């Protein structure tokens, strides 16, 4: 069923979702590249040999690992889906796209889970594309399961349960069913999860060799069959990992990820790239998707491109007639800080607060108060003091554990060129107002400069 812009406030309430990545052909998608300031996707594409101007592959990438970083809700998942659609071409890549939020348990995630799910997703793509992989290239993976999972004292019963529902006896159909069941059981929290993880860690070189042999054989088949010049793995959802879990995944266990040779893009939380330069020493390519910029660094000049993009995000979901006036929309945009997901949060809250059939200024103000309350729960007096200090001295580096925590919780937003500012709704809270910059700067703009 085709999507249509909400014409009534009840249509808006039914259709709005703040946590839904958009597919490449979704009518609600808004191009935001120019709205993010001095920014482009060139830095992401060129290491993979792709000419951004012509979309041609100038060279076959030899194996590139990239982190696609940004705030939660800034549009990374949507952009990764568009990147998938852009690069999935015979003259470019055979793309293997994994959404860990759908396939795994993000609240209990290890590199072992992700690599199992990547193997499962690659095998499923091989089946769908009807690629033929000779049995000799599958032997190591089959042998790893047989010798390490089936014969291990603590996992052999689990292996028997997994194999009991597998119809195929060998080859790609067997591995497809096997890894699908392994991944599903990991998502559902199997009692054997930790035992299997331990076995994988202890036999990781064997698993990695088997997975690598599959990747290499699939790459040869993809190339010879004209379905792509090489394979590209895109992993979305790993930016949702908590602070300690993201450190484990992207820093402490990164060696295991990098043992798998190939071309990968992993979605990562923005705070990670400021932790003592550790992740930059591991991953060759770090790409940041900054927040949409609705005002300039001095906070006294608006950015028309940013406001225009945010207005379009609203109007592709809600008819202009659903608002009492344009200033109400601009008020919501100003308090979103250029954060697309928070703009949708504000629209949802305004729908709930509206007394009539329109979103008016009182309902918009009530929405801002509710979103501000959401943020207040994560902030301490010391956090407010640090936010005021950062706002008051934007040219000073504030890369501390406390500042990174504020980035993670979105109370502090990053714009292009390493520019941080507190979230506008946080600036409405009493804790911030008590220590706000004494010169009266960083007021929240109420209207856009058309």
């Amino acid at each position: 069923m085709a999507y249509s812009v909400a014409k009534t406030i009840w249509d808006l309430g039914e259709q709005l979702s703040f946590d839904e990545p958009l597919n490449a052909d979704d009518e609600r998608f808004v191009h935001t590249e120019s709205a993010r300031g001095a920014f482009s996707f060139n830095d992401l594409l060129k290491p993979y040999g792709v000419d951004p101007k012509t979309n041609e592959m100038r060279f076959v990438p030899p194996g590139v690992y990239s982190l696609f970083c940004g705030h939660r809700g800034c549009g990374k998942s949507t952009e990764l889906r568009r990147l998938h659609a852009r690069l999935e071409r015979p003259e470019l890549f055979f793309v293997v796209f994994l959404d860990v939020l759908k396939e795994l348990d993000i609240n209990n995630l290890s590199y072992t889970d992700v690599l199992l799910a990547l193997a499962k997703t690659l095998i499923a793509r091989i089946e769908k594309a009807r690629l033929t992989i000779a049995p000799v290239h599958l032997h190591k993976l089959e042998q790893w399961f047989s010798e390490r999972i089936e014969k291990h004292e603590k996992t052999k019963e689990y292996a028997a349960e997994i194999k009991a529902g597998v119809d195929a006896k060998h080859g790609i159909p067997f591995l497809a069913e096997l890894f699908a069941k392994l991944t599903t059981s990991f998502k559902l929290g199997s009692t054997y999860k930790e035992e299997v993880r331990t076995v994988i860690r202890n036999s990781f070189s064997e698993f990695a060799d088997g997975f690598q042999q599959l990747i290499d054989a699939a790459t040869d088949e993809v190339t010879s069959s004209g379905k792509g010049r090489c394979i590209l793995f895109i992993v979305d959802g790993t930016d949702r990992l908590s602070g300690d879990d993201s450190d484990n995944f992207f820093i402490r266990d990164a060696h295991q990820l990098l043992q798998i040779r190939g071309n990968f893009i992993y979605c990562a939380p923005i705070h990670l790239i400021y932790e003592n330069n550790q992740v930059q020493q591991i991953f060759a390519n770090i790409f940041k998707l900054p927040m949409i910029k609705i005002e300039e660094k001095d906070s006294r000049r608006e950015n028309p491109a940013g406001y225009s993009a945010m207005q379009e995000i609203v109007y592709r979901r809600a008819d202009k007639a659903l608002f009492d006036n344009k200033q109400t929309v601009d008020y919501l945009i100003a308090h979103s800080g250029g954060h697309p997901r928070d703009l949708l949060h504000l629209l949802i809250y305004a729908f709930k607060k509206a007394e009539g059939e329109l979103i008016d200024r009182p309902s918009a103000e009530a929405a801002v108060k509710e979103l501000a309350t959401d943020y207040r729960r994560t902030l301490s007096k010391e956090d407010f003091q640090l936010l005021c200090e950062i706002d008051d001295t934007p040219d000073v580096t504030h890369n501390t554990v406390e500042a990174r925590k504020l980035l993670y919780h979105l109370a502090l937003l990053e714009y292009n060129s390493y520019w941080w500012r507190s979230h506008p709704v946080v600036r409405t809270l009493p804790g911030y107002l008590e220590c706000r910059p004494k010169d009266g700067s960083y007021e929240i703009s109420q209207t856009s400069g058309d």
Side-chain angles (χ1 to χ4, degrees), residues 300-336:
R300 293 181 175 87
R301 290 182 297 121
E302 293 161 357
N303 178 33
Y307 257 96
S308 177
M310 295 295 274
Q311 287 168 351
E312 198 171 351
I313 288 173
V314 173
Y315 293 139
R316 291 202 178 189
R317 290 163 173 80
D319 193 278
K320 293 182 180 181
L322 290 183
F323 302 90
D324 61 344
N325 55 52
K326 178 177 174 294
Q327 286 68 40
T328 294
V329 175
D330 290 340
Y331 175 86
L332 293 171
I333 292 171
H335 283 84
S336 74

Side-chain angles (χ1 to χ4, degrees), residues 143-161:
Q143 187 178 40
W144 167 81
F145 179 80
S146 173
E147 294 186 358
R148 296 301 182 180
I149 304 295
E150 280 192 277
K151 294 180 181 179
H152 192 278
E153 186 64 31
K154 292 185 177 181
T155 57
K156 62 182 180 181
E157 185 176 336
Y158 168 75
E161 292 176 10

Side-chain angles (χ1 to χ4, degrees), residues 313-373:
I313 288 173
V314 173
Y315 293 139
R316 291 202 178 189
R317 290 163 173 80
D319 193 278
K320 293 182 180 181
L322 290 183
F323 302 90
D324 61 344
N325 55 52
K326 178 177 174 294
Q327 286 68 40
T328 294
V329 175
D330 290 340
Y331 175 86
L332 293 171
I333 292 171
H335 283 84
S336 74
H339 189 291
R341 183 180 295 169
D342 271 358
L343 179 60
L344 299 181
H345 259 129
L346 287 169
L347 282 173
I348 290 172
Y349 286 156
F351 157 73
K352 293 177 181 178
K353 303 296 183 181
E355 295 291 342
E357 297 299 314
L358 295 178
I359 292 177
D360 55 13
R361 183 59 173 259
S363 59
E365 290 178 353
V368 167
K369 287 183 180 179
E370 184 150 349
L371 185 60
T373 299

Side-chain angles (χ1 to χ4, degrees), residues 145 159-170 173-179 181:
F145 179 80
E161 292 176 10
I162 292 290
K163 283 191 71 175
V166 176
D167 295 326
K169 301 302 180 185
H170 56 80
F174 169 74
L175 289 176
E177 289 192 70
L178 182 67
F179 278 91
K181 287 183 175 294

Side-chain angles (χ1 to χ4, degrees), residues 360-430:
D360 55 13
R361 183 59 173 259
S363 59
E365 290 178 353
V368 167
K369 287 183 180 179
E370 184 150 349
L371 185 60
T373 299
D374 292 342
Y375 278 96
R376 186 178 63 190
R377 296 187 182 102
T378 69
L379 298 172
S380 66
K381 180 179 180 179
E382 292 73 23
D383 291 330
F384 286 118
Q385 291 172 342
L386 178 56
L387 287 167
C388 286
E389 181 183 343
I390 291 172
D391 286 343
D392 201 25
T393 55
D395 294 319
V396 176
T397 299
H398 296 275
N399 184 11
T400 63
V401 171
E402 293 75 18
R404 293 195 295 270
K405 185 192 77 170
L406 294 172
L407 281 173
Y408 176 78
H409 288 295
L410 305 175
L412 185 63
L413 302 178
E414 176 166 325
Y415 299 88
N416 62 302
S417 305
Y418 185 66
W419 162 39
W420 291 353
R421 180 161 297 159
S422 59
H423 195 299
V425 298
V426 170
R427 283 179 254 152
T428 69
L429 291 169

Side-chain angles (χ1 to χ4, degrees), residues 190-207:
S190 166
T191 55
Y192 292 99
K193 180 185 285 190
E194 285 305 322
E195 284 84 355
V196 174
R197 283 175 173 171
T198 299
V199 172
I200 295 175
R201 292 187 188 105
N202 292 340
S203 61
F204 186 76
S205 293
E206 294 168 52
F207 170 79

